[in-house]
Amino acid sequence: MSRDSGSFRDPSGYVFQHQGRIFRALDAAAAALLKDLDVQGHLKRWVQEGLVVGTRFVEDPALIAALSDAHPGFAAFAEHDRIEPITYPYEWSVSMLADAGRLTLRLQGELVKLGLSLKDATAYNVQFVRGKPIFIDLTSIEKPARLDLWFALGQFNRMFLFPLLLVKHAGWDLRSYFLSNLDGRSTLQVGQAFSWRQRWSPALLLDVGLPYALEKKVKAGKASAPKAPAAARPEAPAGNPVAQQMTLRRLDKKIAALADSISPETVWGDYTQICSYDEAAEASKKSLVREFLAQAKSASVLDVGCNTGDYSRIAADGGATVFATDFDVGAVEQMYRRLRKEPKSITPMVVDIANPSPGIGYMNAERPAFLDRARPDCVLALAVIHHLLVGANLPMASIRDLFASLSRKHLVLEFVPTDDVMFRKLIEFRVNLFDHVTLDHCLAVFSEKFALRRQAPIQNSPRTLLLFEKLA
């Protein structure tokens, strides 16, 4: 029974795996609270509405005994639906972060009505399923000391509001914001990213300007930090929730407006218009991809360099669970916005496959590296090999090793020759070091770790589609 590496900070319980299933150990207080929510029907309703992850209390005596032997001292166990792949905020687009924040606000609003609250508001408590956010950390629910204040508001700002403000008004990106600090940036750090004029502008005054000025006074000893309120009896939270509810509504509107106002500019979003494909070539490629994926019969597919997701949708339509990755934030944003309207079994992720997300947090294992989380049955690498050769300066053997480390079994690779218009565009202002890059060279290099199962030219195009099977 392996304990989740990122589930250890909350004393009320933790997540672990057993026989491929996901369980959560619960202490007496957490078990009583969640069982009460279950009896009242709130937990079931939230699951049905897609607000929280599917959750069931373990009732089988034999299973309870087995879990208790491995995890002694807990009052109860709950089983959650398994979510794959696990993603993190530094792999999300702007709208993904905004929707995760709005989900957190919505759940907090539901809890306040019941005299409850979220004791933390980290973005890591949210995952994405079929392009929609879902809350996963049920032990974050507590009976607070008071309801007029949300003690997790500061963390909510650090994890959701501040990064969106920095993207919008200072040109930051989510990867650099989150990777450098697991809990986001402080009010002082965020305030220093803006000029005096910006901090006191209407857009930033309430959430950055005033808090920044107060923090500076506290740090300089010219003001006292607000004192934490005395704890009230757990069964009778103090304070009128109206003020908090107004704050939740204001933040929801602000975050929605921020996400809508950030244009999803994309580097390669118009790829199909500027590449060498005409309509016949594109139709041929899509038909071949369908055939190759049907032959591979893969339950999970990693679409590397997915762009706006057309081929991810082909894989999903074939029954696969798809991880769709691209370094182009704007392209992933466009794909996610489409998923909102047309849901598919696709999880979009902002990942540069040549420089993927590292492991971060405690022991560099609290948030595992992308390469440890993404192990699909099949890698779909379309129109990407020339970017890795030229843009990332990876030798063909390194590209082969990368795909071999990712895929459990199959690889669908689009070979792009050096005379292709997009290859020539990439090396236009560079010394041509790629004369050796031929289809025969590619096949020879990949044959060391893959067996070629099928090869087909893409009509009206110099490109070739290849289906490989990983050698044992």
Side-chain angles (χ1 to χ4, degrees):
M1 298 190 187
S2 59
R3 184 166 168 175
D4 187 276
S5 60
S7 181
F8 66 93
R9 298 182 185 276
D10 189 344
S12 61
Y14 54 77
V15 175
F16 62 93
Q17 295 191 45
H18 173 55
Q19 297 181 346
R21 297 158 67 183
I22 306 299
F23 295 93
R24 185 183 296 272
L26 302 167
D27 70 6
L33 189 153
L34 292 178
K35 284 185 176 181
D36 188 45
L37 288 173
D38 191 32
V39 169
Q40 294 179 32
H42 299 300
L43 191 56
K44 181 179 180 180
R45 174 172 60 84
W46 293 340
V47 170
Q48 291 175 340
E49 293 176 357
L51 187 58
V52 303
V53 65
T55 302
R56 302 157 295 282
F57 282 95
V58 178
E59 298 180 348
D60 176 47
L63 181 56
I64 292 174
L67 299 181
S68 296
D69 286 344
H71 304 272
F74 289 95
F77 298 93
E79 182 176 4
H80 297 309
D81 291 348
R82 189 178 188 91
I83 296 175
E84 287 185 322
I86 295 297
T87 65
Y88 298 126
Y90 41 85
E91 297 164 340
W92 297 349
S93 73
V94 165
S95 288
M96 292 174 74
L97 181 67
D99 285 356
R102 297 186 69 193
L103 176 90
T104 303
L105 293 172
R106 179 186 166 195
L107 180 57
Q108 175 65 11
E110 292 267 346
L111 292 170
V112 167
K113 295 175 186 176
L114 302 174
L116 302 173
S117 181
L118 293 174
K119 60 187 173 187
D120 56 52
T122 172
Y124 295 97
N125 283 347
V126 179
Q127 288 297 321
F128 283 83
V129 177
R130 293 182 62 84
K132 293 183 178 180
I134 192 166
F135 191 86
I136 62 170
D137 187 13
L138 295 186
T139 51
S140 179
I141 299 173
E142 68 170 359
K143 188 168 289 186
R146 54 191 298 172
L147 290 172
D148 54 339
L149 299 175
W150 183 22
F151 300 124
L153 179 60
Q155 186 179 44
F156 179 88
N157 288 341
R158 296 193 301 274
M159 300 301 287
F160 297 104
L161 181 60
F162 288 169
L164 291 173
L165 289 172
L166 287 166
V167 171
K168 170 66 177 177
H169 298 287
W172 284 40
D173 66 273
L174 299 182
R175 178 183 169 94
S176 61
Y177 181 89
F178 283 106
L179 277 180
S180 61
N181 196 318
L182 201 63
D183 196 41
R185 304 295 180 100
S186 69
T187 303
L188 285 177
Q189 290 173 320
V190 172
Q192 290 166 357
F194 298 106
S195 67
W196 181 90
R197 186 180 298 275
Q198 286 177 307
R199 287 197 298 269
W200 294 100
S201 67
L204 300 178
L205 173 63
L206 191 59
D207 298 299
V208 177
L210 290 174
Y212 175 78
L214 178 60
E215 286 282 343
K216 289 214 48 165
K217 285 188 176 182
V218 170
K219 190 174 182 180
K222 297 178 180 179
S224 299
K227 293 183 178 180
R233 290 179 301 164
E235 66 273 13
N240 190 315
V242 172
Q244 182 188 161
Q245 290 169 332
M246 290 177 61
T247 298
L248 296 178
R249 288 193 294 269
R250 182 187 72 82
L251 286 171
D252 182 70
K253 290 179 180 179
K254 181 152 192 170
I255 285 176
L258 275 171
D260 289 343
S261 69
I262 298 172
S263 175
E265 295 182 4
T266 171
V267 179
W268 297 105
D270 57 354
Y271 186 87
T272 55
Q273 283 73 49
I274 63 176
C275 73
S276 56
Y277 296 133
D278 56 19
E279 290 185 4
E282 185 176 357
S284 172
K285 179 177 173 179
K286 287 183 176 179
S287 177
L288 288 171
V289 168
R290 287 190 186 93
E291 292 175 17
F292 282 23
L293 290 174
Q295 183 174 337
K297 298 179 181 178
S298 302
S300 57
V301 172
L302 168 62
D303 186 0
V304 175
C306 62
N307 202 260
T308 54
D310 288 348
Y311 292 91
S312 297
R313 286 180 167 269
I314 289 175
D317 288 340
T321 297
V322 182
F323 323 154
T325 68
D326 204 296
F327 78 95
D328 186 343
V329 180
V332 175
E333 173 75 5
Q334 288 184 19
M335 176 170 54
Y336 176 71
R337 291 188 180 191
R338 184 180 176 188
L339 280 171
R340 280 172 167 169
K341 301 175 182 177
E342 305 168 18
K344 295 281 185 182
S345 184
I346 299 172
T347 301
M349 303 171 69
V350 180
V351 173
D352 179 357
I353 200 62
N355 182 29
S357 309
I360 64 171
Y362 178 68
M363 300 287 285
N364 278 8
E366 187 174 353
R367 308 300 170 194
F370 171 79
L371 296 181
D372 294 330
R373 288 176 279 128
R375 293 301 305 277
D377 297 325
C378 177
V379 170
L380 187 61
L382 305 177
V384 72
I385 192 169
H386 51 312
H387 293 286
L388 295 175
L389 285 165
V390 181
N393 198 29
L394 294 181
M396 188 70 77
S398 297
I399 298 172
R400 173 205 63 205
D401 293 346
L402 172 63
F403 291 150
S405 70
L406 284 168
S407 176
R408 286 194 178 100
K409 190 169 184 180
H410 286 103
L411 166 67
V412 178
L413 178 69
E414 180 180 4
F415 177 76
V416 181
T418 56
D419 60 351
D420 182 272
V421 62
M422 295 307 293
F423 205 123
R424 293 200 306 269
K425 185 179 179 68
L426 287 176
I427 63 174
E428 185 175 6
F429 300 107
R430 301 176 59 140
V431 176
N432 186 357
L433 303 174
F434 305 97
D435 287 338
H436 67 288
V437 178
T438 63
L439 178 58
D440 287 341
H441 172 69
C442 176
L443 292 173
V445 171
F446 274 77
S447 68
E448 296 182 20
K449 294 195 175 180
F450 293 92
L452 181 65
R453 295 304 182 214
R454 188 171 171 189
Q455 173 179 333
I458 298 174
Q459 295 179 15
N460 288 16
S461 167
R463 303 182 179 192
T464 304
L465 207 63
L466 307 166
L467 173 62
F468 291 106
E469 184 174 350
K470 189 175 177 180
L471 297 175

